[in-house]
Amino acid sequence: MAAPKVELRSLRSEDKDRLLAWRNSPDVAAYMYTDHQISPAEHERWFSGIEGDERRAYWVIEMDGAPVGLANLYDIDRRNGRCAWAYYLAEPAVRGKGVGGYVEYLVIETVFGPFGLGKLWCEVLASNSGVLRMHQKFGFQEEARFRRHALKNGVLEDVVGLGLLAEDWAEVRPRMRQTLEAAGFNLGD
């Protein structure tokens, strides 16, 4: 069975309303640092701040031509050769189809390829064990544990800091390519 066609495309102005709905959906908000309903004005400030900010990059995740999530890089630091990243799949119907792993592959390839950086890092709520395991399969290593770091539903949760170096990716990449290709994803080159 062929995997769905998954692509990252640049963020466009017509994505603004969809992103607000996604950011406020319980399925996405459960894994974000923010708990409150994001107001249209707050969202407008965030969205307006993206354009022209060289320290951030955003892509809409599309599956078979339909928007299903968002991936982004932030704190892009070319001097130190690193950046952070995050993503979410907002449409519940796409989960469990390997899309998250494919997006992870695409973002890592972008960071260590065209962006030419040497380190990619992220923070994950400790309770999000599935995402922690997935990042570790891709070679991320735990570098920090921030105890009682993010307030979620009135409870301070631990956050795990993970990092992936370009040389670690070079070791893991062949295995991850093989896994994704076996799942039917077309990795091209």
Side-chain angles (χ1 to χ4, degrees):
M1 183 169 115
K5 183 178 180 191
V6 178
E7 297 179 304
L8 302 179
R9 70 151 169 87
S10 297
L11 199 59
R12 300 189 292 239
S13 59
E14 58 264 25
D15 294 316
K16 183 169 48 171
D17 292 341
R18 176 182 295 112
L19 292 180
L20 176 59
W22 284 350
R23 293 174 75 202
N24 279 329
S25 74
D27 285 344
V28 171
Y31 299 105
M32 294 174 62
Y33 277 4
T34 55
D35 267 346
H36 69 282
Q37 278 292 112
I38 298 166
S39 71
E42 180 182 358
H43 181 68
E44 178 64 39
R45 284 190 302 276
W46 171 81
F47 196 85
S48 297
I50 292 171
E51 191 172 353
D53 185 346
E54 294 180 5
R55 293 185 46 85
R56 295 190 282 176
Y58 286 84
W59 301 277
V60 169
I61 302 164
E62 289 189 338
M63 185 177 98
D64 297 329
V68 297
L70 183 75
N72 72 293
L73 303 178
Y74 60 97
D75 291 338
I76 298 170
D77 181 346
R78 295 199 183 278
R79 180 178 175 270
N80 291 300
R82 66 176 185 245
C83 70
W85 86 294
Y87 83 97
Y88 56 80
L89 297 175
E91 300 298 330
V94 306
R95 297 186 192 127
K97 297 182 180 196
V99 174
Y102 187 63
V103 168
E104 185 139 347
Y105 180 88
L106 292 175
V107 170
I108 292 169
E109 287 286 282
T110 300
V111 167
F112 296 140
F115 277 62
L117 301 176
K119 181 177 183 176
L120 179 61
W121 61 275
C122 60
E123 296 177 354
V124 179
L125 294 171
S127 60
N128 196 351
S129 58
V131 169
L132 286 170
R133 279 192 308 274
M134 185 172 71
H135 288 328
Q136 289 166 340
K137 283 180 189 174
F138 277 84
F140 281 86
Q141 296 180 29
E142 184 172 327
E143 295 184 341
R145 178 169 287 266
F146 304 106
R147 297 177 300 148
R148 296 189 310 216
H149 192 70
L151 188 65
K152 295 299 295 176
N153 301 314
V155 177
L156 284 167
E157 276 202 49
D158 289 0
V159 171
V160 178
L162 300 164
L164 177 66
L165 302 177
E167 56 266 28
D168 297 334
W169 176 240
E171 289 181 29
V172 174
R173 183 180 187 266
R175 179 173 41 88
M176 297 316 300
R177 280 186 65 86
Q178 183 178 26
T179 299
L180 290 166
E181 287 172 342
F185 287 98
N186 180 6
L187 302 181
D189 259 338

